[in-house]
Amino acid sequence: MDKKIVELCLSPDLGGLEIFMVKCRDFFGQKTACKMVIAPQTKIDNYVQNEKYYIKRNKFFPLLSALKLARFIDKEGVDVVHFHWTRDIITVVLAKILSRKKPKLIQTRNMTMTRFKDDFYHKWLYKNIDMIHAVTYGVKEQLERFIPKEVRPKIVTVYMGTKERNVSQQKIEELQRKYNITQEDFTVGIIGRIEEGKGQWMVIESLAKLANPAIKALIVGHTMDAGYLQGLKKRVQELGLEERVIFTGFTKEVDAHIRLCDVTVLATPRETFGLVVIESMINKIPVIATNKGGPLEIITDKKDGLLFERNVEDLSRKIQMVFEDHELLSHLSHNAYQTAKERFDEDVQLQ
């Protein structure tokens, strides 16, 4: 392969979507010339230390961002622009039209599509995209339903992947001391951005219902909504759970934090895929996930994880189930790891 690729994401956030873009750049960069374009002074800018190029997203005047991108495409001789954030679509399409090189455009679609794209504007956009990578078959089905056939790009489905990483026992013990987690504790983790849709509040309310001091919650992630975080902490105080709920903030040591847990929770109403699900599974930590969206394509209920109705009562029941049944927890852990290795190997999926 000798194509020159640009991995582009002007998102201000740092979640599965943005991290997948970085993984693509790292993997494709081993095969061919691959550069990364991001927005300056964003969370992903702070996360990535090696070579990156900046384009500031202009919400109201996308032509300005597109002109800068078009010049970059022509200067670098870019053959393929692979973009990840849906809001970048207008910038990327305009840049293709303005450039002399006219690169292929490939979009990774991480988000659901819920309405028809049959107006003139959207038809024009999709006519200029060459391929869409759907991260699940559910997303692919939505794209085929809502994008008119005459302008619909080629759609392919490839799951995201994850990689088994070495985490030293010393690091785990260091974090256990830091967060005052003992061998007797049963730790329920929830990893993701601190915002209401991620459902950290459900884990807190479940702990209150279970009323067992041995069960703790580890809430890991950077704050997207400061007001929501303050509300969570206030609720923890009201429920008297200060000794049982740990807020870690953002960390790059995700695998080490996952290994502090006995089980993790995905509590979003409808996660498109759920990268954190397979990251947990590859660390031999089973997941209790909402029974909608991406988790249905990852987890086989009671085999390699648990699915729950998105309410506190059912989540509490599922936590209690794995807390009491050590044999079930061991069974789920073993199978979760096997599923991650066999179906979601990062190098295989990226290839």
Side-chain angles (χ1 to χ4, degrees):
M1 181 193 287
D2 57 1
K3 301 288 186 186
K4 293 185 177 179
I5 301 172
V6 159
E7 292 291 330
L8 181 139
C9 183
L10 306 184
S11 162
D13 299 332
L14 183 60
L17 179 153
E18 293 81 12
I19 290 170
F20 178 66
M21 185 271 291
V22 177
K23 288 180 176 181
C24 288
R25 192 285 308 269
D26 291 347
F27 184 84
F28 300 148
Q30 297 169 19
K31 314 283 182 183
T32 189
C34 186
K35 298 184 182 296
M36 181 170 64
V37 176
I38 60 174
Q41 298 177 322
T42 56
K43 290 182 174 69
I44 196 166
D45 185 17
N46 295 327
Y47 179 80
V48 176
Q49 300 304 318
N50 39 5
E51 188 180 42
K52 50 202 169 181
Y53 297 84
Y54 294 123
I55 291 179
K56 190 172 183 180
R57 178 174 177 262
N58 195 314
K59 179 180 178 181
F60 299 105
F61 301 102
L63 188 62
L64 298 176
S65 306
L67 278 167
K68 188 171 182 181
L69 179 58
R71 286 196 291 267
F72 181 80
I73 287 167
D74 290 337
K75 179 187 171 190
E76 299 292 334
V78 174
D79 298 290
V80 177
V81 176
H82 179 200
F83 68 102
H84 298 254
W85 195 37
T86 305
R87 294 183 186 181
D88 290 334
I89 189 169
I90 180 63
T91 301
V92 173
V93 168
L94 283 172
K96 174 181 179 175
I97 291 167
L98 293 167
S99 70
R100 295 188 306 275
K101 184 70 177 171
K102 301 290 185 280
K104 300 285 187 185
L105 301 186
I106 299 175
Q107 177 187 13
T108 286
R109 180 82 189 193
N110 290 270
M111 307 305 291
T112 55
M113 185 176 282
T114 57
R115 61 188 179 89
F116 289 101
K117 305 293 183 178
D118 53 0
D119 57 278
F120 175 80
Y121 172 69
H122 283 98
K123 281 184 175 181
W124 171 73
L125 287 175
Y126 286 109
K127 195 168 115 179
N128 283 286
I129 295 174
D130 298 276
M131 187 171 78
I132 301 179
H133 160 220
V135 298
T136 65
Y137 287 94
V139 171
K140 182 175 188 284
E141 187 273 327
Q142 291 174 351
L143 295 172
E144 289 173 340
R145 188 194 319 166
F146 291 118
I147 301 174
K149 189 175 182 180
E150 65 269 20
V151 296
R152 187 189 307 142
K154 178 182 178 182
I155 301 172
V156 298
T157 301
V158 180
Y159 289 129
M160 292 182 182
T162 190
K163 189 176 287 186
E164 190 172 6
R165 292 174 175 82
N166 291 324
V167 179
S168 71
Q169 186 60 31
Q170 181 182 348
K171 168 53 70 175
I172 294 170
E173 290 171 1
E174 176 190 315
L175 291 173
Q176 285 172 333
R177 289 191 295 271
K178 177 181 177 180
Y179 300 129
N180 193 28
I181 296 172
T182 69
Q183 295 299 319
E184 289 72 39
D185 292 326
F186 185 88
T187 306
V188 180
I190 181 163
I191 295 104
R193 298 188 297 270
I194 308 296
E195 56 187 4
E196 189 168 1
K198 292 296 182 183
Q200 291 88 359
W201 63 272
M202 298 186 73
V203 174
I204 291 169
E205 296 295 335
S206 294
L207 253 65
K209 278 186 74 70
L210 294 167
N212 187 325
I215 304 176
K216 291 186 173 181
L218 189 74
I219 299 177
V220 182
H222 69 271
T223 303
M224 293 296 295
D225 184 340
Y228 171 63
L229 177 61
Q230 289 305 312
L232 290 178
K233 291 182 175 180
K234 183 180 177 184
R235 185 62 176 153
V236 167
Q237 290 177 334
E238 290 171 353
L239 295 168
L241 297 175
E242 293 97 326
E243 299 299 315
R244 295 174 57 199
V245 178
I246 304 151
F247 293 92
T248 72
F250 172 75
T251 179
K252 287 187 176 181
E253 298 175 312
V254 175
D255 293 280
H257 282 72
I258 288 172
R259 294 197 195 186
L260 298 176
C261 305
D262 295 279
V263 67
T264 62
V265 172
L266 182 88
T268 40
R270 191 181 181 90
E271 189 74 34
T272 314
F273 178 71
L275 187 59
V276 71
V277 173
I278 59 174
E279 287 176 338
S280 189
M281 292 166 78
I282 199 69
N283 281 292
K284 301 181 181 177
I285 306 300
V287 183
I288 304 171
T290 43
N291 62 353
K292 285 185 172 61
L296 295 176
E297 296 188 35
I298 302 172
I299 292 172
T300 301
D301 191 35
K302 297 185 179 66
K303 179 189 173 186
D304 49 20
L306 296 175
L307 299 170
F308 79 103
E309 299 293 332
R310 195 177 185 263
N311 60 64
V312 172
E313 289 71 23
D314 198 32
L315 178 57
S316 303
R317 278 194 294 271
K318 297 298 164 64
I319 293 172
Q320 185 74 24
M321 187 187 297
V322 289
F323 172 70
E324 291 180 343
D325 192 336
H326 298 286
E327 191 174 316
L328 173 63
L329 184 63
S330 177
H331 169 78
L332 295 175
S333 300
H334 172 78
N335 289 339
Y337 175 73
Q338 293 301 320
T339 296
K341 288 289 283 184
E342 291 166 13
R343 295 182 57 213
F344 300 104
D345 179 87
E346 184 173 288
D347 287 346
V348 172
Q349 300 306 95
L350 286 169
Q351 185 64 47

